[in-house]
Amino acid sequence: MMCLDNGAFDESNRMYVSSYASSGIAEVYPNGQIRQVVPQNLVGPYGVTVDFGGTVHAADHYRLGDDLAIFSHGIVADQDQLHITSQYGEVRTNQRVRARELDRPVGIAVRDDGALVVAEAGAGRVIAIEADDTITVVASGFGSPVDVAFDAQQRCYVSDELGVIYRIDDGQAVAIASGLATPQGLTVRGEELFVVEVGHQRVLAIHLDTGERRVEADNLAISPPEKTARALFAHGMPGCPGQFAGIAVGPDGSLHVAGEGSVLRISREDS
């Protein structure tokens, strides 16, 4: 176990410890050996991405795979690099900090010119981080943007938790779908945009040209929307992260959805 945070002894002087990063509870023997009492599991997970080799990377708040990666939420693979957002204000490329003090950055994507495009939920805008870390505003005026995705023509799409999917045309946000129930994670496959509609615990497919909708998968293990927003900071310390259900498409066309303690793979055959 790593990142132990609490310990307790029972009446027989047996010691139990928990992990805030990998979850679970283990009994620790005097010789240092452990017995897992409550199995380890994922903490979120939140964002998810699939690299060109087919490896799935999940941003699990305190972990990224087997590595410690504090407060990781949005994630995107770009060749041999991973770009990560933290809802606590940072954007990183691997361990290099690209931006600080942003207002709840969540979803992230890579533009064809190499710039990182980020949904800054707390500021109601989408920003671009250039190679020299210069920040520019791509579009603003959103309610609560949480994810971004690009299609083959490099058109940028934004999910707004208030129920709308936008396409950014020349810096202006154009609604392409509305009336959705807490849309969060976005990804594009072919001519369709896939969105995790958290309020209905499903993945919805939207045709990019016609706007036609269909349900790709439903009854998913995704937490329903929270009725009361949790405090991101409490007494100057990091508090509870906001909910974010990510989605990504793999090289074989399968979809990967980050849900409640798991990553679900939806193959084309299951669609």
Side-chain angles (χ1 to χ4, degrees):
M1 298 183 71
M2 67 177 185
C3 301
L4 308 182
D5 59 344
N6 288 291
F9 292 88
D10 65 11
E11 60 184 11
S12 300
N13 207 36
R14 292 177 296 192
M15 182 179 184
Y16 300 89
V17 296
S18 63
S19 168
Y20 67 81
S22 54
S23 71
I25 299 174
E27 178 184 359
V28 181
Y29 297 123
N31 64 1
Q33 297 296 311
I34 66 171
R35 177 179 69 88
Q36 202 70 38
V37 179
V38 177
Q40 295 182 343
N41 204 339
L42 297 173
V43 177
Y46 298 94
V48 63
T49 188
V50 187
D51 63 26
F52 290 131
T55 300
V56 179
H57 304 268
D60 198 32
H61 193 55
Y62 293 111
R63 291 188 302 164
L64 187 59
D66 294 328
D67 298 325
L68 188 65
I70 300 297
F71 308 142
S72 297
H73 289 84
I75 184 171
V76 63
D78 178 25
Q79 297 182 19
D80 61 345
Q81 295 181 319
L82 291 174
H83 306 289
I84 305 161
T85 69
S86 163
Q87 290 188 27
Y88 297 96
E90 285 190 351
V91 176
R92 303 188 303 273
T93 295
N94 295 339
Q95 296 302 317
R96 172 192 167 199
V97 177
R98 306 291 301 277
R100 287 187 173 94
E101 299 182 357
L102 299 179
D103 192 350
R104 198 161 70 87
V106 190
I108 184 170
V110 181
R111 206 164 58 192
D112 62 355
D113 62 357
L116 306 181
V117 177
V118 179
E120 192 180 2
R125 64 182 187 174
V126 173
I127 62 172
I129 304 174
E130 308 294 341
D132 63 357
D133 297 341
T134 299
I135 296 176
T136 58
V137 177
V138 177
S140 60
F142 300 99
S144 180
V146 290
D147 205 7
V148 289
F150 287 92
D151 64 15
Q153 286 75 46
Q154 285 296 289
R155 295 178 295 186
C156 183
Y157 299 87
V158 183
S159 60
D160 190 315
E161 285 185 310
L162 301 187
V164 185
I165 303 296
Y166 294 96
R167 185 181 66 241
I168 300 176
D169 292 340
D170 297 324
Q172 300 298 314
V174 178
I176 66 166
S178 59
L180 304 182
T182 317
Q184 293 187 345
L186 287 180
T187 194
V188 173
R189 184 180 70 190
E191 297 179 342
E192 290 184 308
L193 176 72
F194 294 86
V195 55
V196 183
E197 194 178 10
V198 174
H200 290 317
Q201 296 177 296
R202 67 185 183 181
V203 172
L204 194 66
I206 303 172
H207 196 280
L208 295 177
D209 295 326
T210 66
E212 181 181 354
R213 306 179 189 182
R214 65 179 178 83
V215 176
E216 177 75 4
D218 56 7
N219 298 316
L220 302 181
I222 301 171
S223 298
E226 298 169 340
K227 294 181 180 180
T228 303
R230 295 184 285 180
L232 193 60
F233 292 94
H235 305 290
M237 298 292 291
C240 296
Q243 182 187 52
F244 176 51
I247 186 171
V249 62
D252 62 352
S254 60
L255 298 173
H256 299 76
V257 181
E260 194 170 77
S262 64
V263 176
L264 173 67
R265 180 179 181 271
I266 306 171
S267 68
R268 283 183 177 272
E269 291 75 16
D270 297 329
S271 301

